[in-house]
Amino acid sequence: MSSPADRLYSATHEWHQVQGDTVTLGITTFAVTQLTDVTYLTLKPKGTKLRPGQSIGEVESVKTTSDIYSAVEGEVIDVNQAAVDNPALLNGDAFATWLVKIKVTNNAGLSSLMKADAYDAAHPSH
């Protein structure tokens, strides 16, 4: 399965979809596959100021707990409460289940992200 080409990908398996000055962030199918069944999700609330590399929350599975990171600086302007209430949505389709939306104040961190083909080449097992 190919990762959607309309996003950028981090080495820590987050996707960033850029729309103007807003970035929608989620985790990749590869991340969900590695975690196995996602059972719990916590996300920073609206209004949280983020720096590049800062955690926006945690995802827990039967195997482990992992932080979720933002590559951009900005403010959380929306949180996907449906995903928090039902983290199993990530198990179904991680690319359709966004986690937070960030109003970007500095997008320099995007330059460290990969395009879909590079991410897929680095993670061929998904």
Side-chain angles (χ1 to χ4, degrees):
M1 173 188 196
S2 295
S3 299
D6 64 347
R7 300 153 205 224
L8 297 170
Y9 299 87
S10 68
T12 52
H13 312 296
E14 293 86 9
W15 55 261
H16 295 69
Q17 188 173 37
V18 182
Q19 297 161 312
D21 66 351
T22 302
V23 167
T24 302
L25 190 146
I27 62 172
T28 66
T29 299
F30 180 83
V32 171
T33 301
Q34 296 301 302
L35 289 164
T36 62
D37 289 330
V38 174
T39 57
Y40 188 72
L41 176 66
T42 59
L43 298 170
K44 302 279 189 198
K46 280 191 225 180
T48 300
K49 303 276 196 245
L50 299 171
R51 294 179 315 280
Q54 185 175 350
S55 173
I56 60 118
E58 289 182 340
V59 61
E60 293 182 24
S61 72
V62 292
K63 284 173 62 174
T64 189
T65 300
S66 298
D67 279 304
I68 306 162
Y69 300 101
S70 170
V72 296
E73 181 176 327
E75 179 181 337
V76 175
I77 58 170
D78 202 1
V79 174
N80 186 346
Q81 192 59 46
V84 172
D85 294 342
N86 183 12
L89 291 171
L90 290 165
N91 300 323
D93 189 346
F95 288 118
T97 308
W98 62 275
L99 301 179
V100 297
K101 295 187 180 194
I102 301 164
K103 183 165 179 58
V104 178
T105 54
N106 183 341
N107 68 0
L110 293 176
S111 65
S112 69
L113 301 179
M114 296 172 263
K115 292 186 187 271
D117 56 351
Y119 180 79
D120 289 346
H123 304 93
S125 64
H126 78 276

